[in-house]
CSV table of all heavy atoms in Angstrom, one decimal:
chain,number,residue,atom,x,y,z
A,1,MET,N,-17.1,10.9,0.4
A,1,MET,CA,-15.9,10.6,1.0
A,1,MET,C,-15.4,11.9,1.9
A,1,MET,O,-15.5,13.0,1.3
A,1,MET,CB,-14.8,10.2,0.0
A,1,MET,CG,-14.3,8.8,0.2
A,1,MET,SD,-12.8,8.5,-0.7
A,1,MET,CE,-13.5,7.5,-2.1
A,2,LYS,N,-14.8,11.6,2.9
A,2,LYS,CA,-14.2,12.7,3.7
A,2,LYS,C,-12.9,13.2,3.0
A,2,LYS,O,-12.3,12.5,2.3
A,2,LYS,CB,-13.9,12.3,5.1
A,2,LYS,CG,-15.2,12.0,5.9
A,2,LYS,CD,-14.7,11.6,7.4
A,2,LYS,CE,-16.0,11.3,8.1
A,2,LYS,NZ,-15.7,10.9,9.5
A,3,ASP,N,-12.5,14.4,3.3
A,3,ASP,CA,-11.3,14.9,2.7
A,3,ASP,C,-10.1,14.1,3.1
A,3,ASP,O,-9.2,13.8,2.3
A,3,ASP,CB,-11.1,16.4,3.2
A,3,ASP,CG,-12.0,17.3,2.5
A,3,ASP,OD1,-12.6,17.0,1.4
A,3,ASP,OD2,-12.3,18.4,3.0
A,4,ASN,N,-10.0,13.6,4.3
A,4,ASN,CA,-8.8,12.8,4.7
A,4,ASN,C,-8.8,11.5,4.0
A,4,ASN,O,-7.7,11.0,3.6
A,4,ASN,CB,-9.0,12.5,6.3
A,4,ASN,CG,-8.6,13.6,7.2
A,4,ASN,OD1,-8.1,14.6,6.7
A,4,ASN,ND2,-9.0,13.6,8.4
A,5,SER,N,-9.9,10.9,3.7
A,5,SER,CA,-10.0,9.7,2.9
A,5,SER,C,-9.6,9.9,1.5
A,5,SER,O,-8.8,9.0,1.0
A,5,SER,CB,-11.4,9.1,2.9
A,5,SER,OG,-11.9,8.8,4.2
A,6,LYS,N,-9.9,11.0,0.9
A,6,LYS,CA,-9.5,11.3,-0.4
A,6,LYS,C,-8.0,11.5,-0.5
A,6,LYS,O,-7.3,11.0,-1.4
A,6,LYS,CB,-10.2,12.6,-0.9
A,6,LYS,CG,-11.6,12.4,-1.2
A,6,LYS,CD,-12.3,13.6,-1.8
A,6,LYS,CE,-13.8,13.4,-1.9
A,6,LYS,NZ,-14.4,14.7,-2.4
A,7,ILE,N,-7.5,12.2,0.5
A,7,ILE,CA,-6.0,12.5,0.5
A,7,ILE,C,-5.2,11.1,0.7
A,7,ILE,O,-4.3,10.9,0.0
A,7,ILE,CB,-5.7,13.4,1.7
A,7,ILE,CG1,-6.2,14.9,1.3
A,7,ILE,CG2,-4.1,13.5,1.9
A,7,ILE,CD1,-6.1,15.8,2.5
A,8,LEU,N,-5.7,10.3,1.6
A,8,LEU,CA,-5.1,9.0,1.8
A,8,LEU,C,-5.1,8.1,0.6
A,8,LEU,O,-4.2,7.5,0.3
A,8,LEU,CB,-5.8,8.2,3.0
A,8,LEU,CG,-5.2,6.9,3.5
A,8,LEU,CD1,-3.8,7.1,3.8
A,8,LEU,CD2,-6.0,6.3,4.6
A,9,LEU,N,-6.3,8.1,-0.1
A,9,LEU,CA,-6.4,7.4,-1.3
A,9,LEU,C,-5.5,7.9,-2.4
A,9,LEU,O,-4.8,7.1,-3.1
A,9,LEU,CB,-7.9,7.4,-1.8
A,9,LEU,CG,-8.2,6.6,-3.0
A,9,LEU,CD1,-7.9,5.1,-2.8
A,9,LEU,CD2,-9.6,6.7,-3.4
A,10,ALA,N,-5.4,9.2,-2.5
A,10,ALA,CA,-4.5,9.7,-3.5
A,10,ALA,C,-3.0,9.4,-3.2
A,10,ALA,O,-2.2,9.1,-4.1
A,10,ALA,CB,-4.7,11.2,-3.5
A,11,LEU,N,-2.7,9.5,-1.9
A,11,LEU,CA,-1.3,9.1,-1.5
A,11,LEU,C,-1.0,7.7,-1.8
A,11,LEU,O,0.1,7.4,-2.3
A,11,LEU,CB,-1.2,9.4,0.0
A,11,LEU,CG,0.2,9.1,0.6
A,11,LEU,CD1,1.2,10.0,0.1
A,11,LEU,CD2,0.1,9.2,2.2
A,12,LEU,N,-1.9,6.8,-1.5
A,12,LEU,CA,-1.7,5.4,-1.8
A,12,LEU,C,-1.6,5.1,-3.3
A,12,LEU,O,-0.7,4.3,-3.8
A,12,LEU,CB,-2.8,4.5,-1.2
A,12,LEU,CG,-2.9,4.4,0.3
A,12,LEU,CD1,-4.1,3.7,0.8
A,12,LEU,CD2,-1.6,3.8,0.9
A,13,ALA,N,-2.4,5.8,-4.1
A,13,ALA,CA,-2.3,5.6,-5.6
A,13,ALA,C,-1.0,6.1,-6.1
A,13,ALA,O,-0.4,5.5,-7.0
A,13,ALA,CB,-3.5,6.3,-6.2
A,14,GLY,N,-0.5,7.2,-5.6
A,14,GLY,CA,0.7,7.8,-6.0
A,14,GLY,C,1.9,6.9,-5.7
A,14,GLY,O,2.8,6.7,-6.4
A,15,ALA,N,1.8,6.4,-4.4
A,15,ALA,CA,2.9,5.5,-4.0
A,15,ALA,C,2.9,4.2,-4.8
A,15,ALA,O,4.0,3.7,-5.2
A,15,ALA,CB,2.7,5.1,-2.5
A,16,ALA,N,1.8,3.7,-5.1
A,16,ALA,CA,1.6,2.5,-6.0
A,16,ALA,C,2.3,2.8,-7.4
A,16,ALA,O,3.0,1.9,-7.9
A,16,ALA,CB,0.2,2.0,-6.1
A,17,ALA,N,1.9,3.8,-8.0
A,17,ALA,CA,2.4,4.2,-9.3
A,17,ALA,C,3.8,4.4,-9.3
A,17,ALA,O,4.6,3.9,-10.2
A,17,ALA,CB,1.7,5.4,-9.8
A,18,GLY,N,4.4,5.0,-8.3
A,18,GLY,CA,5.8,5.2,-8.1
A,18,GLY,C,6.6,4.0,-7.9
A,18,GLY,O,7.7,3.7,-8.6
A,19,ALA,N,6.1,3.1,-7.1
A,19,ALA,CA,6.7,1.9,-6.9
A,19,ALA,C,6.8,0.9,-8.1
A,19,ALA,O,7.8,0.4,-8.4
A,19,ALA,CB,6.0,1.1,-5.7
A,20,ILE,N,5.7,0.9,-8.8
A,20,ILE,CA,5.6,0.1,-10.0
A,20,ILE,C,6.6,0.7,-11.1
A,20,ILE,O,7.3,-0.1,-11.8
A,20,ILE,CB,4.2,-0.1,-10.6
A,20,ILE,CG1,3.3,-0.9,-9.6
A,20,ILE,CG2,4.1,-0.6,-12.0
A,20,ILE,CD1,1.9,-1.0,-9.9
A,21,ALA,N,6.5,2.0,-11.3
A,21,ALA,CA,7.4,2.6,-12.2
A,21,ALA,C,8.9,2.3,-11.9
A,21,ALA,O,9.7,2.0,-12.8
A,21,ALA,CB,7.2,4.1,-12.3
A,22,ALA,N,9.2,2.4,-10.6
A,22,ALA,CA,10.6,2.1,-10.2
A,22,ALA,C,11.0,0.7,-10.5
A,22,ALA,O,12.2,0.5,-11.0
A,22,ALA,CB,10.8,2.4,-8.7
A,23,ILE,N,10.2,-0.2,-10.2
A,23,ILE,CA,10.5,-1.7,-10.5
A,23,ILE,C,10.6,-1.9,-12.0
A,23,ILE,O,11.5,-2.6,-12.5
A,23,ILE,CB,9.4,-2.6,-9.9
A,23,ILE,CG1,9.6,-2.5,-8.4
A,23,ILE,CG2,9.6,-4.0,-10.4
A,23,ILE,CD1,8.4,-3.3,-7.7
A,24,LEU,N,9.7,-1.3,-12.8
A,24,LEU,CA,9.7,-1.5,-14.2
A,24,LEU,C,11.0,-0.9,-14.9
A,24,LEU,O,11.4,-1.3,-15.9
A,24,LEU,CB,8.5,-1.0,-14.9
A,24,LEU,CG,7.2,-1.8,-14.6
A,24,LEU,CD1,6.0,-1.1,-15.1
A,24,LEU,CD2,7.3,-3.2,-15.1
A,25,LEU,N,11.5,0.2,-14.3
A,25,LEU,CA,12.6,0.9,-14.9
A,25,LEU,C,13.9,0.3,-14.4
A,25,LEU,O,15.0,0.7,-14.9
A,25,LEU,CB,12.5,2.4,-14.6
A,25,LEU,CG,11.4,3.1,-15.3
A,25,LEU,CD1,11.3,4.6,-14.8
A,25,LEU,CD2,11.5,3.0,-16.8
A,26,ALA,N,13.9,-0.5,-13.4
A,26,ALA,CA,15.1,-1.2,-12.8
A,26,ALA,C,15.7,-2.1,-13.9
A,26,ALA,O,14.9,-2.7,-14.7
A,26,ALA,CB,14.7,-1.9,-11.5
A,27,PRO,N,17.0,-2.4,-13.8
A,27,PRO,CA,17.6,-3.2,-14.8
A,27,PRO,C,17.6,-4.6,-14.6
A,27,PRO,O,18.5,-5.4,-14.7
A,27,PRO,CB,19.1,-2.7,-14.8
A,27,PRO,CG,19.3,-2.2,-13.4
A,27,PRO,CD,17.9,-1.6,-13.0
A,28,ASP,N,16.4,-5.2,-14.1
A,28,ASP,CA,16.2,-6.6,-13.8
A,28,ASP,C,15.6,-7.2,-15.0
A,28,ASP,O,15.0,-6.5,-15.9
A,28,ASP,CB,15.3,-6.8,-12.6
A,28,ASP,CG,16.0,-6.4,-11.4
A,28,ASP,OD1,17.2,-6.5,-11.3
A,28,ASP,OD2,15.2,-6.1,-10.4
A,29,GLU,N,15.7,-8.5,-15.1
A,29,GLU,CA,15.0,-9.3,-16.1
A,29,GLU,C,13.5,-9.2,-15.9
A,29,GLU,O,13.0,-8.9,-14.8
A,29,GLU,CB,15.4,-10.7,-16.1
A,29,GLU,CG,16.8,-10.9,-16.5
A,29,GLU,CD,17.2,-12.4,-16.5
A,29,GLU,OE1,16.4,-13.3,-16.3
A,29,GLU,OE2,18.4,-12.7,-16.7
A,30,GLY,N,12.7,-9.4,-16.9
A,30,GLY,CA,11.2,-9.4,-16.8
A,30,GLY,C,10.7,-10.3,-15.8
A,30,GLY,O,9.7,-9.9,-15.0
A,31,LYS,N,11.2,-11.5,-15.7
A,31,LYS,CA,10.7,-12.4,-14.7
A,31,LYS,C,10.9,-12.0,-13.3
A,31,LYS,O,10.0,-12.1,-12.5
A,31,LYS,CB,11.4,-13.8,-14.9
A,31,LYS,CG,10.8,-15.0,-14.1
A,31,LYS,CD,11.4,-16.3,-14.5
A,31,LYS,CE,10.7,-17.4,-13.9
A,31,LYS,NZ,11.2,-18.7,-14.2
A,32,GLN,N,12.1,-11.4,-13.0
A,32,GLN,CA,12.4,-10.9,-11.7
A,32,GLN,C,11.5,-9.7,-11.4
A,32,GLN,O,11.0,-9.5,-10.2
A,32,GLN,CB,13.9,-10.5,-11.6
A,32,GLN,CG,14.8,-11.7,-11.6
A,32,GLN,CD,16.3,-11.2,-11.6
A,32,GLN,OE1,16.6,-10.2,-12.1
A,32,GLN,NE2,17.1,-12.0,-11.0
A,33,SER,N,11.3,-8.8,-12.3
A,33,SER,CA,10.4,-7.6,-12.1
A,33,SER,C,9.0,-8.1,-11.8
A,33,SER,O,8.4,-7.5,-10.9
A,33,SER,CB,10.5,-6.8,-13.4
A,33,SER,OG,11.7,-6.2,-13.6
A,34,ARG,N,8.5,-9.0,-12.5
A,34,ARG,CA,7.1,-9.5,-12.3
A,34,ARG,C,7.0,-10.1,-10.9
A,34,ARG,O,6.0,-9.9,-10.2
A,34,ARG,CB,6.7,-10.5,-13.3
A,34,ARG,CG,6.4,-9.9,-14.7
A,34,ARG,CD,5.8,-10.9,-15.7
A,34,ARG,NE,6.6,-12.0,-16.0
A,34,ARG,CZ,7.6,-12.1,-17.0
A,34,ARG,NH1,7.8,-10.9,-17.6
A,34,ARG,NH2,8.3,-13.1,-17.2
A,35,LYS,N,8.1,-10.9,-10.5
A,35,LYS,CA,8.0,-11.4,-9.1
A,35,LYS,C,8.0,-10.3,-8.1
A,35,LYS,O,7.3,-10.4,-7.1
A,35,LYS,CB,9.3,-12.3,-8.9
A,35,LYS,CG,9.1,-13.7,-9.4
A,35,LYS,CD,10.4,-14.5,-9.1
A,35,LYS,CE,10.3,-15.9,-9.7
A,35,LYS,NZ,11.4,-16.7,-9.3
A,36,LYS,N,8.8,-9.3,-8.3
A,36,LYS,CA,8.9,-8.1,-7.4
A,36,LYS,C,7.5,-7.4,-7.3
A,36,LYS,O,7.0,-7.1,-6.2
A,36,LYS,CB,9.9,-7.1,-7.8
A,36,LYS,CG,11.3,-7.5,-7.5
A,36,LYS,CD,12.3,-6.5,-7.9
A,36,LYS,CE,13.7,-6.8,-7.7
A,36,LYS,NZ,14.7,-5.8,-8.0
A,37,ILE,N,6.9,-7.2,-8.5
A,37,ILE,CA,5.6,-6.6,-8.5
A,37,ILE,C,4.5,-7.4,-7.8
A,37,ILE,O,3.7,-6.9,-7.0
A,37,ILE,CB,5.1,-6.2,-10.0
A,37,ILE,CG1,6.1,-5.1,-10.5
A,37,ILE,CG2,3.7,-5.8,-10.0
A,37,ILE,CD1,5.9,-4.9,-12.0
A,38,GLY,N,4.6,-8.7,-8.0
A,38,GLY,CA,3.7,-9.6,-7.4
A,38,GLY,C,3.8,-9.6,-5.9
A,38,GLY,O,2.8,-9.6,-5.1
A,39,ARG,N,5.1,-9.7,-5.4
A,39,ARG,CA,5.3,-9.6,-3.9
A,39,ARG,C,4.8,-8.2,-3.3
A,39,ARG,O,4.2,-8.2,-2.3
A,39,ARG,CB,6.7,-9.8,-3.6
A,39,ARG,CG,7.2,-11.2,-3.7
A,39,ARG,CD,8.6,-11.4,-3.1
A,39,ARG,NE,9.5,-10.6,-3.8
A,39,ARG,CZ,10.5,-11.1,-4.6
A,39,ARG,NH1,10.7,-12.4,-4.7
A,39,ARG,NH2,11.3,-10.2,-5.2
A,40,TRP,N,5.1,-7.2,-4.1
A,40,TRP,CA,4.7,-5.9,-3.6
A,40,TRP,C,3.1,-5.8,-3.6
A,40,TRP,O,2.6,-5.3,-2.6
A,40,TRP,CB,5.3,-4.8,-4.5
A,40,TRP,CG,4.8,-3.4,-4.2
A,40,TRP,CD1,5.3,-2.6,-3.2
A,40,TRP,CD2,3.7,-2.8,-4.8
A,40,TRP,NE1,4.5,-1.5,-3.2
A,40,TRP,CE2,3.6,-1.5,-4.1
A,40,TRP,CE3,2.8,-3.0,-5.8
A,40,TRP,CZ2,2.6,-0.6,-4.5
A,40,TRP,CZ3,1.9,-2.1,-6.2
A,40,TRP,CH2,1.8,-0.9,-5.5
A,41,ALA,N,2.5,-6.3,-4.6
A,41,ALA,CA,1.0,-6.3,-4.6
A,41,ALA,C,0.5,-7.1,-3.5
A,41,ALA,O,-0.6,-6.7,-2.9
A,41,ALA,CB,0.6,-6.8,-6.0
A,42,ASP,N,1.0,-8.2,-3.2
A,42,ASP,CA,0.5,-9.0,-2.1
A,42,ASP,C,0.7,-8.3,-0.8
A,42,ASP,O,-0.2,-8.3,0.0
A,42,ASP,CB,1.3,-10.4,-2.0
A,42,ASP,CG,1.0,-11.4,-3.1
A,42,ASP,OD1,-0.1,-11.2,-3.6
A,42,ASP,OD2,1.8,-12.3,-3.3
A,43,ASP,N,1.9,-7.6,-0.6
A,43,ASP,CA,2.0,-6.8,0.7
A,43,ASP,C,1.0,-5.7,0.7
A,43,ASP,O,0.4,-5.4,1.8
A,43,ASP,CB,3.4,-6.2,0.7
A,43,ASP,CG,4.5,-7.2,0.9
A,43,ASP,OD1,4.2,-8.3,1.3
A,43,ASP,OD2,5.7,-6.9,0.6
A,44,VAL,N,0.8,-5.0,-0.4
A,44,VAL,CA,-0.2,-3.9,-0.4
A,44,VAL,C,-1.6,-4.5,0.0
A,44,VAL,O,-2.3,-3.9,0.8
A,44,VAL,CB,-0.2,-3.2,-1.7
A,44,VAL,CG1,-1.5,-2.2,-1.8
A,44,VAL,CG2,1.0,-2.3,-1.9
A,45,TYR,N,-2.0,-5.6,-0.7
A,45,TYR,CA,-3.3,-6.2,-0.4
A,45,TYR,C,-3.4,-6.6,1.1
A,45,TYR,O,-4.4,-6.2,1.7
A,45,TYR,CB,-3.4,-7.4,-1.3
A,45,TYR,CG,-4.7,-8.2,-1.0
A,45,TYR,CD1,-5.9,-7.7,-1.4
A,45,TYR,CD2,-4.7,-9.4,-0.3
A,45,TYR,CE1,-7.1,-8.5,-1.1
A,45,TYR,CE2,-5.8,-10.1,0.0
A,45,TYR,CZ,-7.0,-9.6,-0.4
A,45,TYR,OH,-8.2,-10.3,-0.1
A,46,ASN,N,-2.4,-7.2,1.6
A,46,ASN,CA,-2.5,-7.7,3.0
A,46,ASN,C,-2.6,-6.5,4.0
A,46,ASN,O,-3.3,-6.5,5.0
A,46,ASN,CB,-1.3,-8.6,3.4
A,46,ASN,CG,-1.5,-10.0,2.6
A,46,ASN,OD1,-2.6,-10.4,2.3
A,46,ASN,ND2,-0.3,-10.5,2.3
A,47,ASN,N,-1.7,-5.5,3.7
A,47,ASN,CA,-1.7,-4.3,4.6
A,47,ASN,C,-3.0,-3.6,4.5
A,47,ASN,O,-3.6,-3.1,5.5
A,47,ASN,CB,-0.6,-3.4,4.2
A,47,ASN,CG,0.8,-3.9,4.7
A,47,ASN,OD1,0.8,-4.7,5.5
A,47,ASN,ND2,1.8,-3.4,4.0
A,48,SER,N,-3.6,-3.5,3.3
A,48,SER,CA,-4.9,-2.8,3.1
A,48,SER,C,-6.0,-3.5,3.8
A,48,SER,O,-6.9,-2.9,4.5
A,48,SER,CB,-5.3,-2.6,1.6
A,48,SER,OG,-4.3,-1.9,1.0
A,49,LYS,N,-6.0,-4.9,3.7
A,49,LYS,CA,-7.0,-5.7,4.3
A,49,LYS,C,-6.9,-5.5,5.9
A,49,LYS,O,-8.0,-5.4,6.5
A,49,LYS,CB,-6.7,-7.1,4.0
A,49,LYS,CG,-7.8,-8.1,4.3
A,49,LYS,CD,-7.4,-9.5,3.6
A,49,LYS,CE,-8.2,-10.6,4.2
A,49,LYS,NZ,-7.8,-11.9,3.6
A,50,GLU,N,-5.7,-5.4,6.4
A,50,GLU,CA,-5.5,-5.3,7.9
A,50,GLU,C,-6.0,-3.9,8.3
A,50,GLU,O,-6.7,-3.8,9.3
A,50,GLU,CB,-4.0,-5.4,8.2
A,50,GLU,CG,-3.6,-5.3,9.6
A,50,GLU,CD,-2.2,-5.4,9.8
A,50,GLU,OE1,-1.5,-6.3,9.3
A,50,GLU,OE2,-1.6,-4.5,10.6
A,51,LYS,N,-5.7,-2.8,7.5
A,51,LYS,CA,-6.1,-1.5,7.8
A,51,LYS,C,-7.6,-1.3,7.8
A,51,LYS,O,-8.3,-0.7,8.6
A,51,LYS,CB,-5.5,-0.4,6.9
A,51,LYS,CG,-4.0,-0.4,7.0
A,51,LYS,CD,-3.5,0.0,8.3
A,51,LYS,CE,-1.9,0.1,8.4
A,51,LYS,NZ,-1.4,0.2,9.6
A,52,LEU,N,-8.2,-2.0,6.8
A,52,LEU,CA,-9.7,-2.0,6.7
A,52,LEU,C,-10.3,-2.7,7.9
A,52,LEU,O,-11.3,-2.2,8.4
A,52,LEU,CB,-10.1,-2.6,5.3
A,52,LEU,CG,-11.6,-2.5,5.0
A,52,LEU,CD1,-12.1,-1.1,4.9
A,52,LEU,CD2,-11.9,-3.2,3.7
A,53,SER,N,-9.7,-3.8,8.2
A,53,SER,CA,-10.3,-4.5,9.4
A,53,SER,C,-10.2,-3.6,10.6
A,53,SER,O,-11.1,-3.6,11.5
A,53,SER,CB,-9.5,-5.8,9.6
A,53,SER,OG,-9.8,-6.4,10.8
A,54,ASP,N,-9.1,-2.9,10.8
A,54,ASP,CA,-8.9,-2.0,11.9
A,54,ASP,C,-9.9,-0.9,11.9
A,54,ASP,O,-10.5,-0.5,13.0
A,54,ASP,CB,-7.4,-1.4,12.0
A,54,ASP,CG,-6.4,-2.3,12.3
A,54,ASP,OD1,-6.7,-3.4,12.9
A,54,ASP,OD2,-5.2,-2.0,12.1
A,55,LEU,N,-10.2,-0.3,10.7
A,55,LEU,CA,-11.2,0.7,10.6
A,55,LEU,C,-12.6,0.2,11.0
A,55,LEU,O,-13.4,0.8,11.7
A,55,LEU,CB,-11.3,1.3,9.2
A,55,LEU,CG,-10.2,2.2,8.9
A,55,LEU,CD1,-10.3,2.6,7.3
A,55,LEU,CD2,-10.2,3.5,9.7
A,56,LYS,N,-12.9,-1.0,10.5
A,56,LYS,CA,-14.2,-1.6,10.8
A,56,LYS,C,-14.4,-1.8,12.3
A,56,LYS,O,-15.5,-1.7,12.8
A,56,LYS,CB,-14.4,-2.9,10.0
A,56,LYS,CG,-14.7,-2.6,8.5
A,56,LYS,CD,-14.9,-3.9,7.8
A,56,LYS,CE,-15.2,-3.7,6.3
A,56,LYS,NZ,-15.4,-5.0,5.6
A,57,SER,N,-13.3,-2.2,13.0
A,57,SER,CA,-13.5,-2.6,14.4
A,57,SER,C,-13.3,-1.3,15.3
A,57,SER,O,-13.4,-1.4,16.5
A,57,SER,CB,-12.4,-3.6,14.8
A,57,SER,OG,-11.0,-3.0,14.6
A,58,GLY,N,-13.1,-0.2,14.7
A,58,GLY,CA,-13.1,1.1,15.4
A,58,GLY,C,-11.6,1.4,15.9
A,58,GLY,O,-11.5,2.4,16.7
A,59,ASN,N,-10.6,0.6,15.5
A,59,ASN,CA,-9.3,1.0,16.0
A,59,ASN,C,-8.7,2.1,15.1
A,59,ASN,O,-9.1,2.4,14.0
A,59,ASN,CB,-8.3,-0.3,15.8
A,59,ASN,CG,-8.7,-1.4,16.6
A,59,ASN,OD1,-9.3,-1.2,17.7
A,59,ASN,ND2,-8.3,-2.6,16.2
A,60,LYS,N,-7.8,2.8,15.7
A,60,LYS,CA,-7.1,3.9,15.0
A,60,LYS,C,-6.2,3.4,14.0
A,60,LYS,O,-5.5,2.4,14.2
A,60,LYS,CB,-6.4,4.8,15.9
A,60,LYS,CG,-7.2,5.5,17.0
A,60,LYS,CD,-7.5,6.9,16.5
A,60,LYS,CE,-8.3,7.6,17.6
A,60,LYS,NZ,-8.7,8.8,17.3
A,61,VAL,N,-6.1,4.0,12.8
A,61,VAL,CA,-5.3,3.6,11.7
A,61,VAL,C,-3.9,4.4,11.9
A,61,VAL,O,-3.9,5.6,12.2
A,61,VAL,CB,-5.8,3.9,10.4
A,61,VAL,CG1,-4.9,3.6,9.3
A,61,VAL,CG2,-7.1,3.2,10.2
A,62,LYS,N,-2.8,3.6,11.9
A,62,LYS,CA,-1.5,4.1,12.1
A,62,LYS,C,-0.7,4.0,10.8
A,62,LYS,O,-0.9,3.1,10.0
A,62,LYS,CB,-0.8,3.5,13.2
A,62,LYS,CG,-1.5,3.7,14.5
A,62,LYS,CD,-0.7,3.2,15.6
A,62,LYS,CE,-1.5,3.2,16.9
A,62,LYS,NZ,-1.1,4.4,17.7
A,63,ASP,N,0.2,5.0,10.5
A,63,ASP,CA,1.1,4.8,9.4
A,63,ASP,C,2.2,3.8,9.7
A,63,ASP,O,2.3,3.3,10.8
A,63,ASP,CB,1.7,6.2,9.0
A,63,ASP,CG,2.7,6.7,10.0
A,63,ASP,OD1,3.1,5.9,11.0
A,63,ASP,OD2,3.3,7.8,9.7
A,64,PRO,N,3.0,3.4,8.7
A,64,PRO,CA,4.0,2.4,9.0
A,64,PRO,C,5.0,2.7,10.1
A,64,PRO,O,5.6,1.7,10.6
A,64,PRO,CB,4.8,2.3,7.6
A,64,PRO,CG,3.9,2.8,6.6
A,64,PRO,CD,3.0,3.9,7.4
A,65,TYR,N,5.1,3.9,10.5
A,65,TYR,CA,6.0,4.3,11.6
A,65,TYR,C,5.3,4.4,12.9
A,65,TYR,O,5.9,4.7,13.9
A,65,TYR,CB,6.7,5.6,11.2
A,65,TYR,CG,7.4,5.6,9.9
A,65,TYR,CD1,6.9,6.2,8.8
A,65,TYR,CD2,8.6,4.9,9.8
A,65,TYR,CE1,7.6,6.1,7.6
A,65,TYR,CE2,9.3,4.8,8.6
A,65,TYR,CZ,8.7,5.4,7.4
A,65,TYR,OH,9.4,5.3,6.3
A,66,GLY,N,4.0,4.1,13.0
A,66,GLY,CA,3.3,4.0,14.2
A,66,GLY,C,2.6,5.3,14.5
A,66,GLY,O,2.0,5.4,15.6
A,67,ALA,N,2.7,6.3,13.7
A,67,ALA,CA,2.0,7.6,14.0
A,67,ALA,C,0.5,7.5,13.7
A,67,ALA,O,0.1,6.9,12.7
A,67,ALA,CB,2.6,8.7,13.2
A,68,ASP,N,-0.3,8.0,14.5
A,68,ASP,CA,-1.8,8.0,14.3
A,68,ASP,C,-2.2,8.9,13.2
A,68,ASP,O,-1.8,10.0,13.1
A,68,ASP,CB,-2.5,8.4,15.6
A,68,ASP,CG,-4.0,8.4,15.5
A,68,ASP,OD1,-4.5,7.7,14.6
A,68,ASP,OD2,-4.6,8.9,16.5
A,69,LEU,N,-2.9,8.3,12.2
A,69,LEU,CA,-3.4,9.1,11.0
A,69,LEU,C,-4.6,9.9,11.3
A,69,LEU,O,-5.1,10.6,10.5
A,69,LEU,CB,-3.5,8.1,9.8
A,69,LEU,CG,-2.3,7.5,9.3
A,69,LEU,CD1,-2.6,6.5,8.1
A,69,LEU,CD2,-1.3,8.6,8.8
A,70,GLY,N,-5.3,9.6,12.4
A,70,GLY,CA,-6.5,10.4,12.8
A,70,GLY,C,-7.7,9.9,12.0
A,70,GLY,O,-8.6,10.7,11.9
A,71,ILE,N,-7.6,8.7,11.5
A,71,ILE,CA,-8.8,8.2,10.7
A,71,ILE,C,-9.5,7.2,11.6
A,71,ILE,O,-9.0,6.4,12.2
A,71,ILE,CB,-8.3,7.5,9.4
A,71,ILE,CG1,-7.5,8.5,8.6
A,71,ILE,CG2,-9.5,6.9,8.7
A,71,ILE,CD1,-7.0,7.9,7.3
């Protein structure tokens, strides 16, 4: 793997862990927390699928703010 890929993967893993920890520590009921995690996981899956498709087609990958990641 290239260094940029490793950094991006580590960043995504850290963001995922932080988001899940924040949801689990929030004062919501378990059912609401599970729904939030499920929606978040669906968003991550769909965004990852879209970014992978962009990479395969040769398009530049951009961050959520539109900046080019150089990948």
Side-chain angles (χ1 to χ4, degrees):
M1 245 195 254
K2 294 182 181 179
D3 288 336
N4 287 343
S5 298
K6 290 179 183 178
I7 292 171
L8 182 60
L9 183 60
L11 179 67
L12 291 174
I20 290 172
I23 291 171
L24 291 175
L25 294 174
D28 289 335
E29 292 181 7
K31 189 174 186 178
Q32 290 176 329
S33 294
R34 288 190 298 275
K35 281 184 181 180
K36 285 182 183 179
I37 292 171
R39 283 190 300 249
W40 176 82
D42 286 341
D43 288 344
V44 169
Y45 174 75
N46 291 329
N47 288 336
S48 299
K49 195 172 162 183
E50 182 181 312
K51 298 296 182 195
L52 184 59
S53 175
D54 286 345
L55 283 173
K56 287 181 179 179
S57 65
N59 296 335
K60 296 263 183 181
V61 176
K62 297 184 183 264
D63 72 3
Y65 304 106
D68 185 9
L69 293 176
I71 299 174

